[in-house]
Amino acid sequence: MFLKGKSAVVTGSTSGIGLAYARAFAAEGANVVINGFGKPEDIEAERAKIETEFGVKALYSPADMTKPAEIADMIKLAETSFNGPDILVNNAGIQFVSPIEDFPIEKWDQIIAINLSSAFHGIRAAIPGMKARKWGRIISTASAHSLVASPFKSAYVTAKHGIAGLTKTAALELATFGVTVNCISPGYVWTPLVEKQIPDTMKARNMTKEQVMNDVLLEAQPTKEFVTVEQVAALAVFLCGDAAKSITGANISMDGGWTAA
Ligand code: NAD
């Protein structure tokens, strides 16, 4: 329970990796602000479950990551409710796949806004409080695509490379204030998002589930195993501990060897 008395804001935490971060921080005693889209009853169920399971306070912020003013409001909510946030995780993200010449301009703008600019707005709003309290942990979910590219993912790869650059810059600016800034770069993580792609790909390519998983999804991942959301969340929890005090400006891969190749 080493995060008791601290609070965390996790963007895009109504499902997948974000929800795992929020639950892992709560398991260590932190109050959390969850955020993201989904059915109101599902979001409320996850929020209430965090409170009953871990005995912490959990709030929901509906902030849309394309809207800087709403992002500032989300940070304000953690400030007024919890005197935080002590931990900010920039995690919300979407994907769109298309050749550059056909890439819809509004999709490019949306991905840059959600996957990259939202992290700038969140960090910008959270810094004064973290500096004043002389403690902070800023973590962003980047991706193997912050280090290498794949065709047809121009906006996503650009945004994730940008996250790596923003991480280094913020780390340098905050180095003497007790605030560390890092990003985690997972390969393929088993989330509902990935699971949902399987039936369509099986149909489109006339493949078995195993073929889709090994030959399509895990083609680039040498371990041939998905990363789990719990593994990603455990790394984030480690980054919040005293043992990780000197880790800042880092882009930590968790990709089953993908970017070693
Ligand atoms: P997910 O779809 O399960 O979660 C995405 C979250 O972002 C959801 O809570 C969604 O509601 C939220 N979101 C989307 N648009 C938003 C907006 N405008 N405002 C606020 N919230 C918004 O996906 P995930 O796989 O858990 O992805 C989480 C992060 O991890 C993303 O940044 C993604 O790029 C990154 N990532 C995922 C994988 C993977 O294989 N799943 C690999 C590397 C990196």
Side-chain angles (χ1 to χ4, degrees):
M1 302 286 272
F2 77 100
L3 294 177
K4 211 168 170 48
K6 296 227 178 321
S7 64
V9 169
V10 184
T11 73
S13 48
T14 50
S15 83
I17 299 169
L19 182 58
Y21 285 132
R23 290 178 53 80
F25 295 139
E28 290 296 342
N31 295 319
V32 294
V33 175
I34 61 168
N35 158 263
F37 299 149
K39 284 198 204 127
E41 60 272 26
D42 292 348
I43 296 172
E44 173 50 26
E46 291 296 352
R47 190 204 62 76
K49 210 159 89 178
I50 291 173
E51 288 197 337
T52 49
E53 230 173 287
F54 305 114
V56 299
K57 287 255 171 268
L59 300 175
Y60 169 64
S61 160
D64 179 340
M65 290 302 113
T66 63
K67 306 214 160 80
E70 294 187 17
I71 297 169
D73 285 347
M74 176 186 67
I75 299 297
K76 193 116 217 127
L77 176 69
E79 204 172 294
T80 51
S81 313
F82 302 138
N83 189 34
D86 304 292
I87 300 162
L88 168 66
V89 182
N90 303 299
N91 170 75
I94 59 166
Q95 176 62 283
F96 192 82
V97 181
S98 164
I100 293 173
E101 67 269 32
D102 300 325
F103 211 95
I105 290 167
E106 60 282 4
K107 274 288 164 203
W108 168 274
D109 289 342
Q110 194 189 11
I111 291 180
I112 298 300
I114 297 172
N115 296 21
L116 176 57
S117 300
S118 74
F120 165 75
H121 297 300
I123 292 171
R124 187 175 181 277
I127 279 177
M130 289 183 177
K131 272 185 169 177
R133 292 185 293 275
K134 299 185 172 56
W135 197 92
R137 294 288 188 266
I138 297 171
I139 299 165
S140 300
T141 313
S143 161
H145 282 122
S146 73
L147 297 161
V148 296
S150 297
F152 315 125
K153 295 183 176 175
S154 54
Y156 188 88
V157 170
T158 303
K160 295 300 186 183
H161 276 65
I163 285 287
L166 175 63
T167 297
K168 291 182 196 172
T169 310
L172 296 180
E173 292 187 22
L174 296 168
T176 56
F177 292 92
V179 180
T180 69
V181 190
N182 295 290
C183 57
I184 298 176
S185 284
Y188 270 106
V189 186
W190 186 252
T191 65
L193 196 84
V194 172
E195 199 176 351
K196 273 186 233 143
Q197 295 172 23
I198 291 178
D200 282 349
T201 315
M202 283 168 67
K203 229 183 284 165
R205 301 198 182 210
N206 196 24
M207 284 177 158
T208 64
K209 186 176 175 184
E210 286 64 37
Q211 284 172 322
V212 170
M213 283 166 67
N214 289 319
D215 303 342
V216 182
L217 296 176
L218 294 177
E219 203 213 337
Q221 207 145 291
T223 53
K224 299 293 170 203
E225 275 178 16
F226 286 94
V227 178
T228 68
V229 296
E230 290 80 11
Q231 290 164 355
V232 180
L235 177 54
V237 168
F238 175 75
L239 287 172
C240 292
D242 281 346
K245 219 175 138 181
S246 299
I247 302 177
T248 195
N251 181 354
I252 304 173
S253 291
M254 189 182 270
D255 62 8
W258 176 346
T259 54

